[in-house]
Amino acid sequence: FGREAVDTIIKLMEDRRDRIIVILAGYQKEMSDFVAANPGFKSRIAFSFNFPDYTCPELVKIADRLMKKKNVALTSDGSTCESKNPPDSCPWLKNAIRLQTGCCETTRCGKQENRANGNGRTVRNILEASYRKMSSRVLTSFTPQLLQEYDSRFKPKVIGEGDKEEPS
């Protein structure tokens, strides 16, 4: 399948070069290997560019924005790690992200690219795991009636602009 797909893409790139744009995306090493595997690719690719890994501060911003979309906050007042007075839990979040991703404080810190380093998907996975644990704690600690009462009286609001997530 792989070889047939590559041959089909190369033929399409040649036969319809005036009407088609092909965008190939992936990790740097894998993409280099992919392009090198077929000499037809290299001669047909006009240019390429690399995106650096996200830095730790950028990943924390991603986490803040993902939490806003879910209407989840680190504190009851809705402050985030981007707030003027970030909550005491921000160092925990930053350390969890740093530990799981191997991110750097700045770009080009000398670490080799890997699938986790500076990866926004890893941040989403960290948050989703924490949501599951939080849900489990809440559901086993409180009665349904108490949860309904709390939700009706104290539904949390997150400070900032979080886009409403559409149901999938």
Side-chain angles (χ1 to χ4, degrees):
F1 171 76
R3 181 70 182 168
E4 185 179 331
V6 169
D7 291 343
T8 302
I9 292 171
I10 290 174
K11 181 166 178 18
L12 186 67
M13 289 170 69
E14 186 60 34
D15 293 350
R16 299 186 182 206
R17 66 181 166 271
D18 58 335
R19 297 186 310 174
I20 190 169
I21 295 173
V22 176
I23 298 172
L24 304 170
Y27 292 99
Q28 189 172 351
K29 182 188 179 323
E30 286 85 349
M31 291 308 300
S32 294
D33 292 347
F34 178 68
V35 170
N38 189 310
F41 263 138
K42 192 163 182 104
S43 65
R44 288 175 177 85
I45 295 175
F47 60 90
S48 66
F49 51 94
N50 297 313
F51 293 101
D53 290 333
Y54 289 115
T55 63
C56 289
E58 289 169 333
L59 290 171
V60 171
K61 283 183 181 182
I62 289 170
D64 274 343
R65 291 178 184 160
L66 289 172
M67 286 187 292
K68 284 178 193 175
K69 282 184 174 184
K70 293 280 190 185
N71 201 26
V72 172
L74 295 173
T75 62
S76 59
D77 71 356
S79 58
T80 68
C81 294
E82 292 181 279
S83 302
K84 283 187 178 185
N85 297 312
D88 293 337
S89 50
C90 282
W92 171 88
L93 178 62
K94 291 175 183 180
N95 287 335
I97 290 171
R98 185 176 294 111
L99 177 67
Q100 290 291 314
T101 67
C103 62
C104 298
E105 290 301 312
T106 61
T107 57
R108 313 224 194 296
C109 67
K111 287 188 179 181
Q112 287 189 351
E113 177 188 71
N114 69 55
R115 293 188 187 274
N117 186 30
N119 192 319
R121 184 180 333 115
T122 304
V123 171
R124 186 187 70 226
N125 291 341
I126 292 168
L127 293 176
E128 288 175 353
S130 70
Y131 300 156
R132 287 189 297 275
K133 288 183 180 185
M134 178 177 63
S135 296
S136 177
R137 263 193 327 267
V138 168
L139 292 174
T140 58
S141 300
F142 303 103
T143 65
Q145 295 82 9
L146 186 60
L147 292 172
Q148 282 180 327
E149 181 184 332
Y150 177 84
D151 195 39
S152 66
R153 291 176 59 200
F154 302 107
K155 191 160 190 147
K157 300 291 184 222
V158 176
I159 296 171
E161 294 181 23
D163 296 329
K164 193 135 183 122
E165 192 169 42
E166 297 298 320
S168 36

